Amino acid sequence: MKKANEIDLKNHRLKFLIVGEPKTGKTRLLGTYPGNVFVFDLDDGIITLIDRENVYFETIVEPNPKKPSALKKTNVLLNQLSESVRDGSKPSLETPDGERVEFDLVALDGSTELLQFIMNNVTWMNGRAGMMPSREDWGPQMVGYMNFISQLKSLPCDTAVVCHEKLIEDQAEGKLKMAPMVTGQLANRISGKFDLCFRTCVKKAGKEFKYEVLTQNSGVYQAGTRFMDALDPFEEPNLEKMLSKIETYKNKKGKGVGEKSNQVEA
């Protein structure tokens, strides 16, 4: 048994969930991370990071849903990252010119696409490749998705998952809310699996557009952090600057997270 105020924040690996509407800077946010980044580019949006020398990627698409292959490629790549880890090392991959690169952040960019890859595989295995999913297909899809996320989060580095968002009805409160675009009840639960849930957004002020990151739950949009006082409600979309604030928070709290450690908002 351990005491909450003895949690080792220094070696804690951060887990990010980044949600938002299309073209609000979700992928671009990954490029502001201060270290080597590997991106599972399932959303085909890596071109937005073309100016980033520290970003590596693999684009995976599904050429034929009736003969699914994308999920296998995605899982093989994740397994390679997992198997590359040695005592004290970070996950790594080899570039075409033979250089092995270690990664400080591994990110899944395209939860919607991964869910589709999994569904393509489920319907194919059930003899209905390329057809509309049946009721019994959704359970295996959710299990497959969460298994992938769990393996991703187990990597000895920071990890991030990027999601679109969707409108859902909160039955308990009787109002509409925005949530990550994942299957079924995962939309309500998935943010609790991450340390930091960020929502990218764009505000218009006159003729100017300002990109921001929401870091706290507004009651309508899902966001939040386990580092209670580290970030402002709205932050500049720059992970390096936000991580600097979190590092200051860690130093302030010392080894543990303090008396608020059991008051997690996510």
Side-chain angles (χ1 to χ4, degrees):
M1 182 175 65
K2 298 180 181 180
K3 294 175 66 176
N5 65 356
E6 294 179 349
I7 294 174
D8 184 5
L9 286 181
K10 182 179 180 180
N11 296 311
H12 182 77
R13 302 181 187 99
L14 296 174
K15 301 170 182 62
F16 301 91
L17 178 66
I18 302 171
V19 299
E21 296 179 352
K23 305 301 185 288
T24 56
K26 296 187 299 297
T27 301
R28 189 69 181 173
L29 187 61
L30 297 175
T32 65
Y33 184 88
N36 286 336
V37 178
F38 179 80
V39 180
F40 284 85
D41 177 37
L42 311 187
D43 204 15
D44 201 18
I46 200 69
I47 194 171
T48 62
L49 300 178
I50 195 171
D51 59 335
R52 302 293 180 176
E53 294 184 357
N54 64 317
V55 175
Y56 300 77
F57 72 97
E58 188 72 35
T59 299
I60 302 175
V61 298
E62 187 76 274
N64 185 357
K66 293 184 177 181
K67 295 180 179 180
S69 59
L71 180 62
K72 181 178 179 179
K73 294 177 182 177
T74 308
N75 283 330
V76 165
L77 192 55
L78 181 58
N79 288 335
Q80 288 175 350
L81 286 163
S82 297
E83 292 165 3
S84 71
V85 175
R86 300 292 183 267
D87 290 342
S89 73
K90 299 174 183 177
S92 63
L93 291 172
E94 194 171 284
T95 65
D97 59 4
E99 177 189 7
R100 181 157 287 274
V101 180
E102 287 193 345
F103 301 109
D104 304 288
L105 173 71
V106 176
L108 167 67
D109 189 9
S111 278
T112 305
E113 287 70 25
L114 177 60
L115 284 162
Q116 187 59 58
F117 293 171
I118 296 170
M119 182 58 77
N120 290 343
N121 204 61
V122 170
T123 55
W124 173 76
M125 291 180 65
N126 290 338
R128 292 179 283 100
M131 299 176 65
M132 288 291 292
S134 297
R135 185 175 181 179
E136 63 269 19
D137 296 329
W138 297 106
Q141 184 202 44
M142 288 190 286
V143 171
Y145 176 78
M146 288 310 302
N147 285 345
F148 185 94
I149 298 302
S150 295
Q151 185 176 351
L152 178 72
K153 288 168 54 184
S154 73
L155 294 174
C157 64
D158 292 348
T159 51
V161 173
V162 178
C163 287
H164 293 300
E165 62 182 6
K166 64 180 180 179
L167 192 65
I168 64 172
E169 183 177 0
D170 189 314
Q171 299 289 343
E173 298 184 20
K175 64 180 182 180
L176 298 177
K177 293 184 177 182
M178 299 300 292
M181 188 180 287
V182 291
T183 306
Q185 290 301 312
L186 288 181
N188 285 318
R189 302 199 311 263
I190 190 172
S191 62
K193 305 292 184 182
F194 295 84
D195 301 313
L196 298 144
C197 181
F198 294 151
R199 181 184 185 262
T200 57
C201 52
V202 184
K203 292 182 178 179
K204 186 176 181 181
K207 295 183 179 180
E208 300 295 323
F209 290 88
K210 183 179 181 181
Y211 289 79
E212 293 184 321
V213 175
L214 177 67
T215 70
Q216 294 183 13
N217 197 318
S218 68
V220 176
Y221 300 105
Q222 287 194 22
T225 169
R226 290 192 167 103
F227 305 101
M228 300 297 293
D229 306 315
L231 302 174
D232 294 329
F234 284 95
E235 289 280 352
E236 177 186 348
N238 187 312
L239 285 177
E240 183 171 9
K241 291 182 178 181
M242 286 190 277
L243 289 175
S244 178
K245 287 187 174 184
I246 291 172
E247 190 62 30
T248 299
Y249 170 92
K250 290 179 179 180
N251 292 335
K252 179 181 177 182
K253 294 293 184 180
K255 186 175 181 180
V257 297
E259 62 184 3
K260 293 184 178 180
S261 64
N262 63 342
Q263 300 175 17
V264 174
E265 179 179 352

